[in-house]
Amino acid sequence: MHNSDQFTKQVKSGTNIQENKKRYETLLDKICLMAGVVTGILQLESTYGFLAFIITYLMAVIVYTLWICNGRPGSFYENTISDLLFDNFTRELMGFIMAWTFSFALIG
Amino acid sequence: MTFISKTIQYISIIVILHSGFSSYEFHQTYKQLSINDISSETLTLPKDIKYEAIAGFILFIISVFISFEKIQYFSLRRQEGHSIETLSQGHYLKFISLNKATDSDNMMNSDPTGDVSYTPNMIHLHEKRKQMSDWLQKQQEAIK
């Protein structure tokens, strides 16, 4: 008998998983859109803009993990690394670039 | 979303808009200077505008994080005349493991499968009536 047997696995609540993911997504959406606007106001170009995005994104992930998840993301998310770090990356990058180019063109 | 979070968010948006307007004004002037051939290569965005934008952004992030509240529940079967108590597990998110996820249901006396287990077809009516009449009898004997 090995431990990956379906009866020995911990049963998870699907609705709660979805709800937690949704809340995290909303938080990242807000932060990354506003980061884009601020990057445009500062008129950052090329690499600096993407660097600003990556720094903001990582800071948001770290603060979320320590504050909202109480440092134990495992009890609120199924696959911690992919759920918190990779799943929303493309979505947020697209939102960031949209807000960045918009405010950049508006101000410059 | 709490009142504090909303207030900070409005302030941060105003700060960011103001810095955006300042930045816009600066860049318009900058363009004029370069058209008039005045040496303007050393000119960069003033520090105060930069700091204002960054401060506004930090305020915004704080307000977004403050908007998370520890989840609170109301008990469904509270007694008459008692003030409404809020129950909390002290977390911002909901637990995913099912044994802890059902804790909140137990805490507020909610029965997620109630619509099935209380369906009239599922209830042994004769048994229930017998129990009720027994209970009534006991009550009357106690009064006597």
Side-chain angles (χ1 to χ4, degrees):
Chain A
M1 288 293 283
H2 49 91
N3 277 339
S4 61
D5 184 34
Q6 60 169 322
F7 296 109
T8 52
K9 261 190 206 167
Q10 178 68 257
V11 188
K12 308 275 186 193
S13 161
T15 50
N16 286 7
I17 292 175
Q18 288 304 319
E19 205 169 308
N20 290 346
K21 274 187 190 170
K22 196 78 209 160
R23 296 193 78 184
Y24 180 59
E25 210 176 82
T26 316
L27 171 126
L28 276 188
D29 283 354
K30 284 181 188 170
I31 288 178
C32 288
L33 280 177
M34 202 45 98
V37 171
V38 171
T39 314
I41 288 172
L42 296 176
Q43 296 279 302
L44 298 180
E45 289 171 10
S46 62
T47 326
Y48 293 112
F50 288 107
L51 216 64
F53 169 73
I54 289 171
I55 291 169
T56 316
Y57 188 82
L58 289 179
M59 286 302 285
V61 172
I62 291 168
V63 174
Y64 187 83
T65 314
L66 293 180
W67 185 354
I68 306 296
C69 298
N70 283 334
R72 287 183 290 113
S75 46
F76 305 107
Y77 292 93
E78 221 176 359
N79 310 307
T80 318
I81 302 289
S82 76
D83 279 355
L84 292 182
L85 209 54
F86 297 122
D87 272 11
N88 298 312
F89 189 80
T90 322
R91 176 195 164 92
E92 304 309 334
L93 183 62
M94 291 304 134
F96 174 82
I97 290 173
M98 186 189 72
W100 176 22
T101 46
F102 172 69
S103 63
F104 191 92
L106 209 62
I107 283 164
Chain B
M1 194 186 270
T2 58
F3 175 72
I4 300 171
S5 150
K6 266 190 180 173
T7 316
I8 297 176
Q9 195 156 343
Y10 283 128
I11 292 171
S12 73
I13 286 170
I14 290 168
V15 169
I16 287 172
L17 282 177
H18 182 256
S19 71
F21 182 69
S22 312
S23 176
Y24 172 76
E25 292 275 277
F26 169 77
H27 283 96
Q28 294 305 313
T29 321
Y30 184 79
K31 276 179 200 166
Q32 285 298 322
L33 289 177
S34 47
I35 288 170
N36 296 338
D37 279 343
I38 300 167
S39 63
S40 56
E41 285 180 3
T42 51
L43 272 181
T44 51
L45 195 66
K47 270 182 185 171
D48 58 340
I49 299 176
K50 281 182 189 170
Y51 291 152
E52 193 181 9
I54 292 168
F57 184 48
I58 290 170
L59 274 181
F60 185 82
I61 291 178
I62 291 171
S63 81
V64 170
F65 274 103
I66 286 177
S67 73
F68 274 78
E69 283 179 316
K70 286 182 177 170
I71 302 171
Q72 289 186 328
Y73 307 93
F74 290 118
S75 177
L76 289 177
R77 294 181 194 164
R78 64 173 194 277
Q79 290 178 331
E80 286 293 322
H82 284 243
S83 60
I84 301 169
E85 279 180 58
T86 51
L87 308 161
S88 176
Q89 288 175 313
H91 288 286
Y92 297 99
L93 298 166
K94 291 184 170 178
F95 284 112
I96 57 163
S97 60
L98 203 60
N99 58 351
K100 283 191 174 175
T102 47
D103 271 358
S104 59
D105 286 329
N106 291 336
M107 201 166 66
M108 56 183 182
N109 290 318
S110 163
D111 190 350
T113 60
D115 50 345
V116 175
S117 47
Y118 294 119
T119 306
N121 295 342
M122 302 282 198
I123 300 171
H124 195 330
L125 266 182
H126 294 289
E127 182 63 29
K128 287 274 175 194
R129 281 179 185 161
K130 198 174 165 246
Q131 279 177 6
M132 186 67 186
S133 60
D134 286 351
W135 180 77
L136 278 174
Q137 256 184 1
K138 266 187 191 169
Q139 291 289 308
Q140 281 171 351
E141 279 167 18
I143 292 166
K144 283 171 191 173

